[in-house]
Each structure stands twice: as C-alpha cells, then as structure tokens.
Amino acid sequence: MASYHSGPMIPIPRAGPGRDFAPLELRRTDRVFVLTGAGISAESGVATFRDANGLWEKHRVEDVATPEGFARDPRLVWRFYSERRAQIAKVRPNPAHVALAKLEEALGDGLFLCTQNVDPLHELGGSRRVHHMHGELCKTRCERCARPAFDDARQYVDSEEPVRCELCGGRLRPAVVWFGEIPLGMDSIFAAVQDCDLFLTVGSSGAVHPAAALVSHLRNHPSPRTGRYARTIYLGLERPENAHSFDECRLGKAGELLPSLFALR
Ligand code: APR
C-alpha cells in the first residue's frame, strides 16, 4: 500500500525530564519571547485551570468567565473574582518568577515577557515589563465609559447591587479578558514573536487560543531579521496539547527548572 504523509514532516519534540537537557545557551544580544501560563504560579499556591482540582473543575466557564455570564449574574462573577483577589493577596512569587526577572535584568529589551496569567506574581518577583494578554485580576474597568482600567483589589461580595462606575454609572467589571473577547496587545505580541531567536512557553496546557498558536507561527516563518527559525522550548509538568510545535519539551516544575535553564554567554 503506498505510503504518504499529509504535509511537511513536523519533527516530534524531544521530550523528557528537564534535568536531562543542557542549559539553553543565550547571548546578551538574543531576543527571547517567554509565554507563561498558570503552571508558573502553581508552586506559589495559585490554582491552575485544567489540572485536577483546577478552577474549571469547580466553576462553569460560561457562568464566571464570559460576557454573557456577567450580564446574567454580575454578583456571581464578582464573587468568583473577589475570591481569587483574596487568595492572590496571600501568595508570593516562586523561584520561577524570580528567574525571569533576572533574565530581564540580563537581556533588557531583548526579553518580551507575555503572560496569560492575571495574577501580579511576575511583578512581585521583580519583572518590570509584563504583557498581561488576558488582563489583570487586581484591576477593574467600566463596561460603559472609556476610563482606563484602574488598580482595585477590593472584594465585591456583599454588594446587593452591581458595582457602579462613579463617573458614568455603568457597571464595573474585573479588567480581565473573558472567553469570546480579544486578548490585549496582540499586535505587539505577534511582532515580538516574529522577531525572537528563542520562544519559551512555561506551564501552559496549550488549550486556549490565540496564545497556544503563537509557537506554531514560528514553525513556518523564519525571523525576517535573521532568516533563521527560532528555537522553541516548552517547560512544564506534562506535554502540552501543542507539544508538536516545540523543538523540546523539558518536563518538570517551573520553580525547579527555570533558575538553571539559561546559560548566558
Ligand atoms: N510547573 C510547570 N508547569 C506546571 C506546574 C508547575 N509547578 N503545575 C502545573 N503545570 C502545568 C500543567 O501541567 C498544565 O499543563 O501548567 C499547565 C496549566 O494549564 P492550564 O491550567 O490550562 O492553564 P493555562 O494554560 O495557563 O490556561 C490558559 O485558559 O482558562 C483560560 O484564561 C485562562 O489564562 C488561562 C488560559
């Protein structure tokens, strides 16, 4: 029977325990794109979404993380985010967050740190330029007027009425991106992805787009700046759904692997 393959052969990633891989050699002139997911905050005690006992096992996404859910029951949504705000106030960054802050010190603008997480742990770990593509838990914005999202760690659990904007009377909502909404800063994110020499994802199941598809863009597009294909690395507890898009899957805990991942030349 004739054998055939259905298109370009995509190399299966080298996958195995992170300790079995050599450190990633980096020059201080290299451009690095890092995408983090809930897994980087897990060792700080922050619940992930799709692991056992994750947030989506306890709550229906459509009730607490969609515009329709908010329109249906704003108090339920505010209770969900207020519980997460209360929990976040008690946690601290772990060695993985600190390692990325040190990488920013070494690379400066050469590092583009993009996170799917809405927690402030990258900032608390020392990172100064963090792109929160899914928004920020401890910020609130108005549904109606154009006032910018503002810092707000309040927990709106007792208010009978929906929380109102004091400027226009519109409903206030958590400044996070819900399912069905467009992530923030995608133009600058795509530009940084196309321009990187190394693409690293840390602790993300690869289940949610467009974040999960960023790496696959690099499989078919060499950097316009160097003409070379970026190296793509996954670091996390288990192979992600988009494992086929990575050169390597280094398996293990972020807090244990990230501090010794890079060898800066
Ligand atoms: N170190 C590294 N990886 C870990 C660790 C750890 N200590 N603990 C868990 N992980 C991995 C899990 O194996 C899993 O693959 O982190 C990943 C977490 O996956 P998800 O819970 O799906 O979180 P994430 O990929 O960030 O979700 C993306 O989905 O629900 C939306 O908006 C939400 O930003 C979120 C998006």
Side-chain angles (χ1 to χ4, degrees), residues 160-242:
E160 285 303 315
E161 282 304 309
V163 189
R164 293 278 170 198
C165 171
E166 60 275 22
L167 303 183
C168 76
R171 281 191 312 193
L172 292 182
R173 55 165 281 183
V176 299
V177 175
W178 285 327
F179 287 95
E181 296 183 324
I182 299 171
L184 307 175
M186 288 311 295
D187 290 345
S188 57
I189 289 169
F190 272 124
V193 167
Q194 286 175 330
D195 192 37
C196 74
D197 301 298
L198 170 70
F199 183 101
L200 169 70
T201 294
V202 182
S204 179
S205 61
V208 172
H209 290 255
L214 294 175
V215 61
S216 52
H217 176 83
L218 290 171
R219 301 310 287 174
N220 308 308
H221 298 87
S223 160
R225 178 173 49 88
T226 64
R228 287 195 301 273
Y229 287 89
R231 197 171 172 194
T232 55
I233 311 288
Y234 180 75
L235 187 156
L237 272 192
E238 58 208 351
R239 288 166 69 110
E241 289 183 25
N242 57 351

Side-chain angles (χ1 to χ4, degrees), residues 36-44 46-52 54-56 61 65 81 84 94 96 115-118 133-134 176-179 201-209 211-212 234-241 250-257:
T36 63
I40 198 168
S41 297
E43 289 155 87
S44 296
V46 180
T48 59
F49 293 94
R50 294 169 187 83
D51 289 325
L55 279 173
W56 296 149
V61 170
Y81 285 93
R84 293 175 68 191
N94 68 61
T115 187
Q116 300 173 87
N117 302 340
V118 294
M133 66 184 294
H134 290 166
V176 299
V177 175
W178 285 327
F179 287 95
T201 294
V202 182
S204 179
S205 61
V208 172
H209 290 255
Y234 180 75
L235 187 156
L237 272 192
E238 58 208 351
R239 288 166 69 110
E241 289 183 25
R250 300 187 176 207
L251 304 180
K253 291 185 174 183
E256 293 171 6
L257 294 179

